[in-house]
Amino acid sequence: MEERERLTQQIRELLEGGQERRLTDLVEELHPADLASALRELPRDDQVRVFRLLPSQLAGDVLSELDDAIQRDLVRSLDEAEVSRILDTMPSDHVVEVVEELPREDAEKILDLMEEEKSEEVQELLEYEEGTAGRLMSPRFVAVSEHTTVAQAIEHIRKAASGDA
C-alpha cells in the first residue's frame, strides 16, 4: 500500500472512530504537501472536518498545496471568519490566489475580516492584472547593500522581521 493511501486510510479510521485528538496529533506532524495529498482522497465533509482541526498556520500551508478546485470548494465550505483567520497566516501572494477564485462578494467579506495590513497588501496585489509581475510579487522584501557583511545582513533581516527596521 502506498504511503498516501495508508495515511488517507488512517485519517478515515480516526474520523470514523471520533478520535479527533489522535487525528489532530497525526496531522500536525505531517508535511503540508503530504496532508494535502491525503485530503484530496477524502470526501468534502471529511476534508472540512480535518481542516477545522488544523492550527491556522498549518491550515494556510495545506491550503497553498491544494489544487484550485479543491481549494475553492474547501474555502466555500468554511465560514468567512475561519477563512480569514487562515488567510492571515499565509503570504499575501498566496492569499491572492485563493481570493481571486471566490465570488467577489465572498472575497470582499473575507478581506474585511482579515487583519488590516494583510488585507491592504492583498487588495494592492489584486489591482494588478492576472499573469503580470505585479500580481506575482511579494510586497515584503529586505534589501541590503552589496558592501554589507553577512553578520550585518542577518542583523538587518532580524530587525526587519521584528518591525524595528
Side-chain angles (χ1 to χ4, degrees), residues 82-151:
E82 289 174 303
V83 174
S84 68
R85 178 180 47 84
I86 293 164
L87 296 182
D88 277 332
T89 68
M90 297 171 63
S92 297
D93 53 327
H94 291 199
V95 175
V96 168
E97 294 172 10
V98 174
V99 169
E100 70 185 354
E101 292 292 324
L102 299 172
R104 185 171 196 78
E105 185 177 305
D106 293 346
E108 288 175 3
K109 286 180 192 174
I110 289 169
L111 288 170
D112 286 343
L113 292 171
M114 290 176 64
E115 294 173 3
E116 185 175 348
E117 183 180 341
K118 176 66 67 111
S119 177
E120 288 172 0
E121 284 179 12
V122 171
Q123 289 177 38
E124 183 179 320
L125 290 175
L126 284 168
E127 291 177 14
Y128 294 96
E129 285 189 44
E130 191 172 347
T132 63
R135 176 65 73 91
L136 299 174
M137 73 179 180
S138 174
R140 294 184 178 204
F141 65 91
V142 176
V144 294
S145 166
E146 64 184 271
H147 304 291
T148 303
T149 67
V150 172

Side-chain angles (χ1 to χ4, degrees), residues 62-75:
V62 171
L63 195 62
S64 293
E65 296 287 341
L66 292 170
D67 306 326
D68 288 348
I70 294 173
Q71 186 183 78
R72 182 177 48 250
D73 291 345
L74 187 55
V75 166

Side-chain angles (χ1 to χ4, degrees), residues 8-9 26 31 39-40 44 46 51 53 67 101 104-105 116 120 131 139-140 145 150 158:
T8 303
Q9 183 60 34
L26 170 69
H31 187 279
L39 281 177
R40 287 182 189 100
R44 179 79 57 243
D46 288 346
F51 208 75
L53 296 174
D67 306 326
E101 292 292 324
R104 185 171 196 78
E105 185 177 305
E116 185 175 348
E120 288 172 0
R140 294 184 178 204
S145 166
V150 172
R158 284 189 178 132

